[in-house]
Amino acid sequence: MDVGNRLPDARNALRERVKARRRQNERRKRNRYLLIRAISFVVVLGAWQIYGASTLEIIFTPFTTVIAHLFELLVNGPLGGAILYSLSMFLGGLVIGSIVGIILGVAMGRFAVFEAALGMYVYAIYSTPLVALIPLISLWFGFGVEAQLIIISMFVLFPITIAVYNGVRSVDAALVEVARSFRANEMAMWRHVIIPSVVPYIVTGLSQGVAMGLVGMFISEIYTALSGMGQILAFSANAYKTADMLAVLLTVMILGVTFRTVIEELRKRLAPWFNKESGR
Amino acid sequence: MTVATATRQAKAVASHISKWYGDLEVLHDINLEIYQHEFLCLLGPSGCGKTTLLRILDGLIQPDEGTVSLDGEVIQGPPRQAAMVFQQFGLFPWKTVSQNVAFPMVLARVPQASIAEKVRWAVELVGLKGFEDAFPDNLSGGMRQRVGIARALAVGPEMLLMDEPFASVDAYTRELLQGELLSIWERFRQTVVFVTHSIDEAITLADRIVVLKAKPGEIYHVFDVPIERPRTVESVRKHPAYEPLRQTIWDDMLAGSGRAV
Ligand SMILES: Nc1ncnc2c1ncn2[C@@H]1O[C@H](COP(=O)(O)OP(=O)(O)OP(=O)(O)O)[C@@H](O)[C@H]1O
Ligand SMILES: [Mg+2]
């Protein structure tokens, strides 16, 4: 049963050459990709700059002005503190929403009792625009930190619950049988079969949860007590300080991209088997 | 061969097995002795209940009537002496080749060092050296089933249950794997129950062929394969007993299906 691991020297040399060529091709492809990105970046920023310079300051401002305002807001203005405040609210909501969401999703996915008891409420609330619930939450919990955390975690909760639920439901029955055949008990079943199959779903849910959480963060800061980055955004909008508004938006964009990158990295670490080569 | 010619001691006994799915009687009164160290093939048309019978032999599902005993004891669930090789491979996509092969031993709490050694042995035996850290998704169908076989062999099972293990690989790889299975089995002589719907495959591998007929699944006839070992795929094809036996079994299956196909 030897599939031929001891290849003659000529084959080895050929294999090395093939590998080298493949590496070179990949490098070329990547370089071209980066080049197109760079060009696109320059074109868009250039257009921004030119359009911003040629129109009214309250409509749009040049990119350089936005950057200058961003630094001004960070160094002398309230942006640093606002970012800290908003981020800690966001992370708090993310943690609460994720934990509750994962527990709820697993319970409903694995145990019919929980699905029968809770499923309909989850779907009902999930189908309701969460913004419509904010007046009620303010009525019950006021306008402070507590209400904000609740709002953010609600935004985070549902995408995660649904994703985890789907993950638990789609555990491959054939693999459950394989594990049973090799005499796995319930604990081994969780460790070797259920949890690994659900991890990619959890990460997908987290990624959606982060996006929704950022929405929840702004909404909570604008609709409850004005605070954090939402407050700066609202004030600068009222005062027609377009450059400040754009600076805040840029900040949030950078934060969102950072979170997505972190989660993508997390997925690669936690679910390395999930790395499929794309069809391109 | 040095192994004593079959002492005909029963390893596993299925008695009066019946299984229903709703109104459908999938298996009807199956009585079968599987002898120690024999290679037994279950041969039958698609849907006749071969997989169902194998799952019952592995204790994965309970029959509605009848019992399976292994080494004289009635089984209640999957027995530790048996290991299954699955038709669709049944590999865990999140485990590497090594981790998949190690899985049954991890469950059985075999010491770590011993697991590593047995994994190395089994992976080499099925010709997968160098692929220990690959994930199943990056392997061909033939290689995946080699992993499935290595996983079943590594625990050192007394009985191997194989459900059409080569059905989903190409014809060439299939013959290759048949030859490799022959040489492995002739070394270790586990008791094997091998499900197939290929007459050729059954004759190539088996000491005994049990022909099932469908609706309901019943044992129709049992044939001995009078071809000496060691065998290779070619030596079986060239054997004078091959063609006549093939014809006999073909006619028998045709008669069992109750119609001209
Ligand atoms: N869990 C189940 N529920 C209902 N019917 C089932 C179930 N499992 C099998 N059957 C039915 O029992 C019959 C036998 O199925 P089985 O899978 O044992 O056949 P098989 O001989 O292995 O077929 P194949 O050669 O196609 O694998 C089929 O008609 C199938 O539809
Ligand atoms: Mg089958």
Side-chain angles (χ1 to χ4, degrees), chain B residues 82-83 164 192 212:
Chain B
E164 304 195 41
V192 176
L212 298 168

Side-chain angles (χ1 to χ4, degrees), chain A residues 65-111:
Chain A
T65 316
V66 175
I67 295 292
H69 278 246
L70 180 59
F71 272 101
E72 177 61 24
L73 277 173
L74 266 176
V75 179
N76 298 322
L79 188 56
I83 291 176
L84 268 184
Y85 176 85
S86 295
L87 267 191
S88 42
M89 285 294 121
F90 168 73
L91 288 178
L94 185 66
V95 169
I96 298 171
S98 305
I99 291 173
V100 178
I102 290 172
I103 292 174
L104 211 56
V106 167
M108 277 171 38
R110 183 77 180 163
F111 306 105

Side-chain angles (χ1 to χ4, degrees), chain B residues 21 24 26 44-53 55 87 163-164 195 197:
Chain B
Y21 279 121
L24 180 72
V26 178
S46 197
C48 73
K50 303 181 295 294
T51 297
T52 307
L53 180 55
R55 291 169 77 209
Q87 179 169 356
D163 188 5
E164 304 195 41
V195 166
H197 51 223

Side-chain angles (χ1 to χ4, degrees), chain A residues 10-226:
Chain A
R11 299 278 316 269
N12 271 332
L14 177 61
R15 189 167 58 185
E16 284 313 310
R17 257 182 295 145
V18 169
K19 266 205 228 160
R21 199 179 314 144
R22 188 171 169 182
R23 263 199 303 273
Q24 197 185 354
N25 273 343
E26 268 165 16
R27 206 176 314 129
R28 248 185 230 151
K29 223 164 148 186
R30 201 173 45 239
N31 285 345
R32 198 168 50 214
Y33 188 76
L34 289 179
L35 181 69
I36 294 173
R37 271 196 160 180
I39 294 173
S40 162
F41 197 62
V42 170
V43 169
V44 168
L45 282 192
W48 180 343
Q49 188 72 17
I50 293 166
Y51 179 65
S54 66
T55 187
L56 288 176
E57 205 181 316
I58 59 164
I59 304 290
F60 211 63
T61 53
F63 181 66
T64 44
T65 316
V66 175
I67 295 292
H69 278 246
L70 180 59
F71 272 101
E72 177 61 24
L73 277 173
L74 266 176
V75 179
N76 298 322
L79 188 56
I83 291 176
L84 268 184
Y85 176 85
S86 295
L87 267 191
S88 42
M89 285 294 121
F90 168 73
L91 288 178
L94 185 66
V95 169
I96 298 171
S98 305
I99 291 173
V100 178
I102 290 172
I103 292 174
L104 211 56
V106 167
M108 277 171 38
R110 183 77 180 163
F111 306 105
V113 197
F114 289 100
E115 173 162 28
L118 302 174
M120 49 190 174
Y121 306 119
V122 171
Y123 276 101
I125 301 176
Y126 186 51
S127 312
T128 311
L130 290 180
V131 194
L133 295 176
I134 288 177
L136 199 61
I137 291 172
S138 299
L139 191 67
W140 291 345
F141 300 98
F143 296 91
V145 170
E146 207 183 356
Q148 288 190 352
L149 277 178
I150 288 172
I151 292 169
I152 297 171
S153 35
M154 276 187 49
F155 273 84
V156 171
L157 176 75
F158 290 100
I160 292 186
T161 306
I162 305 287
V164 172
Y165 171 81
N166 285 333
V168 176
R169 292 319 303 261
S170 57
V171 171
D172 189 348
L175 292 183
V176 171
E177 179 155 301
V178 170
R180 277 216 305 128
S181 168
F182 290 113
R183 308 163 57 80
N185 54 26
E186 178 75 8
M187 223 176 73
M189 193 67 83
W190 278 90
R191 171 148 175 246
H192 292 280
V193 186
I194 299 171
I195 293 175
S197 6
V198 177
V199 163
Y201 289 87
I202 293 185
V203 178
T204 305
L206 265 181
S207 158
Q208 289 162 359
V210 163
M212 290 306 289
L214 286 174
V215 175
M217 181 185 88
F218 265 100
I219 287 182
S220 75
E221 287 172 352
I222 293 172
Y223 284 88
T224 63
L226 270 176

